[in-house]
Amino acid sequence: MTSFFYQMPIWAVVLLFFGLVMIAIEIGYRAGHRTKEHWQSAEAGGGNVVLSSMLLLLGLVLALTFATSVSNHQSRQQAVIKDANAIGKVLLLADLVAAPGDETLKSALLAYARTQVIAQGDALTSEQLQDLVDASTHAADAIWQVTQGILDAKEAGAFDVPLGLAVTDLFSSHRLRNWSVFYRLPGIVLAILVLIATVSMAIGGYNAGISGKISRSRMTALAVVLSGVMLLLVDLDHPVSGFIQVDQDSIQALIAKMQQALGA
């Protein structure tokens, strides 16, 4: 279910949602128009009560879903900042390492930092995401190997502790960043949201059919607004390929600083 929503282009998801809502309104209206002789008004049989309850439920689900999506987006942004801070901490300690270990560690850090920057439009599929994570993990392992070589090449001292802690913090931020790349709003949540929205609009169309009057412009406007909210929800869970992207300036600035220092 998750792949259905997140492997499709954002515009395709929104258009599909808009089409489903409009079809639901039309089907509801035609069904209500055919059965209007059995009902005195749209209020008969609790029609308005059902519609009001469905719209209230739709609003509640939209609010909770939107809050979760925004929270996920903020978590991804915090993961980027934490990752940049962890890289910067190891970089500062690398200045205290004797040559040639300092240059080797800085080069490993630069290679790792480059894997942490995801260009716009990248990682649109799970396979591409996994490839990026694998490359990042390989670069992180290289940092650990370089650190081990530095510590093994000299006598144990007080410097070993802060350097080791800084590298372990780097691995912690690395795992957090990997989690933030893959974690998205569960597809079943979006599926339930689509179901509630289409049923609500179908009931609204059915009540309009019973009354024999429908304002298609108003119904279309409502469908457009709901589609806009759906756009936000899906876009927030596309951190590198949507309109609302995670800011990676902190890592990019760090990469520029390392490149200048290494002449790379």
Side-chain angles (χ1 to χ4, degrees), residues 12-33:
V13 175
V14 175
L15 285 180
L16 177 61
F17 177 79
F18 178 78
L20 288 174
V21 170
M22 293 301 297
I23 291 173
I25 293 173
E26 191 63 28
I27 291 176
Y29 175 75
R30 292 181 181 274
H33 188 72

Side-chain angles (χ1 to χ4, degrees), residues 155-175:
E155 295 182 359
F159 176 71
D160 297 357
V161 176
L163 180 60
L165 290 176
V167 174
T168 55
D169 286 344
L170 178 64
F171 273 81
S172 177
S173 66
H174 168 70
R175 288 190 293 269

